[in-house]
Amino acid sequence: MIQFHSMQTITIWTIVVVIALVWFGSRKQPLAVFASIFRALWQSKPFLIAFISLLLILFVNKYELDIEQLMNISWDFTPVIHQLEGQFVNSFQQLFNHPFLTQFLAFFYLIVFQGLIVSSIGVYTASGKIKMAIAVCYAITINYVIAIPFYLFFPVNEVWSYPPAGVEFVMLQVFPTFEEHYRQFSGLDNCFPSLHTSISVTVALIAARSGIRRWSIFTGISALIIIFSIFYMGIHWLLDMVAGVALATFASWLGMKLAGVEPSIKAMLSERQQPLRPTHKHNVTGSNQTAE
């Protein structure tokens, strides 16, 4: 049942998934899609700035755990969260438990989640929707800018690590070395808000505004699966998810605003429901011809 053995396995699968997703979303050859990203970086200054901002916040996030250790904060809000929501995750795990479901959800949590970010940028640049690619970069940046202070000053441990919650860390069934290999990228107390929730929902909300129907449907379904997985795996609390959805709503709205995309639902519906203009046919024999 072991599905992942190391970060090398994760990396290989992520590359495969990104290639598949950029083809699915853009209907273009992956090499052409990746070339479109570099071309957009060269030709579009707004996209270059947005992309650099994303890289910078990811660089800061890489050292978040080191900063956290230097701060040496002793307080812990995990008991407060548990008191507020009780045994929700425990009850959730009791309802759903199947080996195939474990493998499927682990794949989305570890692989598809990462692939959605890169793939979204590629799909939009390849489709000529540079503003949507800019919106993705800014929105994900905003997610991290808001989440990192919470991770530093509002530490909440993962559900499985809090004994009173009575939750199993299901991820270990398919990725036994998760703590040794993956934990360095995701701190045990970096729970509130859930970035898996916020980023996947952010990608889905922006996709809903992109006009690419198949990508909108896929990202929406993926976000629901990823949210399901955070409870199934015993990682996040219900309040983490609620905060993640709220963060995604704000980040996607502001990201689209910064990119010059109208983020309102009204604007989106008006584009989809715009009536067809009537066409006028002209009589080639002359409109003033007298009937016999």
Side-chain angles (χ1 to χ4, degrees), residues 12-217:
I12 293 173
W13 269 114
T14 300
I15 293 173
V16 172
V17 166
V18 167
I19 291 173
L21 289 182
V22 294
W23 172 83
F24 169 77
S26 66
R27 286 292 191 264
K28 295 181 179 179
Q29 294 182 0
L31 288 178
V33 173
F34 296 129
S36 72
I37 296 178
F38 289 106
R39 186 164 55 251
L41 288 170
W42 179 260
Q43 297 177 349
S44 172
K45 185 177 180 180
F47 178 58
L48 177 62
I49 294 173
F51 191 79
I52 291 176
S53 71
L54 175 57
L55 294 181
L56 287 175
I57 196 61
L58 291 176
F59 178 80
V60 172
N61 182 67
K62 179 180 179 181
Y63 293 98
E64 183 272 330
L65 293 179
D66 295 331
I67 298 173
E68 189 175 321
Q69 290 180 354
L70 291 174
M71 293 175 61
N72 195 27
I73 291 178
S74 59
W75 58 77
D76 179 11
F77 289 93
T78 310
V80 178
I81 299 294
H82 179 252
Q83 186 177 7
L84 288 172
E85 68 179 65
Q87 301 298 104
F88 170 79
V89 181
N90 176 279
S91 301
F92 191 95
Q93 283 194 335
Q94 301 303 317
L95 290 174
F96 307 98
N97 186 12
H98 192 278
F100 172 77
L101 192 57
T102 301
Q103 295 186 28
F104 177 76
L105 293 176
F107 190 82
F108 266 81
Y109 185 91
L110 296 170
I111 309 299
V112 176
F113 170 73
Q114 297 182 126
L116 285 174
I117 301 173
V118 179
S119 301
S120 291
I121 296 173
V123 168
Y124 297 140
T125 55
S127 302
K129 297 178 180 290
I130 303 299
K131 285 187 177 182
M132 302 308 298
I134 295 172
V136 169
C137 292
Y138 277 135
I140 293 175
T141 299
I142 294 165
N143 271 282
Y144 279 100
V145 167
I146 294 176
I148 289 175
F150 276 96
Y151 294 162
L152 293 175
F153 300 104
F154 193 82
V156 176
N157 290 323
E158 294 178 1
V159 188
W160 66 270
S161 67
Y162 187 66
V167 170
E168 177 189 357
F169 190 26
V170 180
M171 181 68 73
L172 297 180
Q173 295 180 14
V174 291
F175 193 1
T177 59
F178 181 93
E179 292 298 309
E180 292 82 3
H181 294 124
Y182 196 88
R183 180 58 65 191
Q184 59 182 313
F185 304 106
S186 178
L188 187 66
D189 59 357
N190 291 358
C191 233
F192 184 94
S194 165
L195 273 179
H196 267 73
T197 296
S198 65
I199 291 178
S200 61
V201 173
T202 293
V203 169
L205 290 175
I206 294 177
R209 186 70 182 84
S210 69
I212 306 176
R213 182 175 175 80
R214 59 183 176 277
W215 189 242
S216 175
I217 293 174

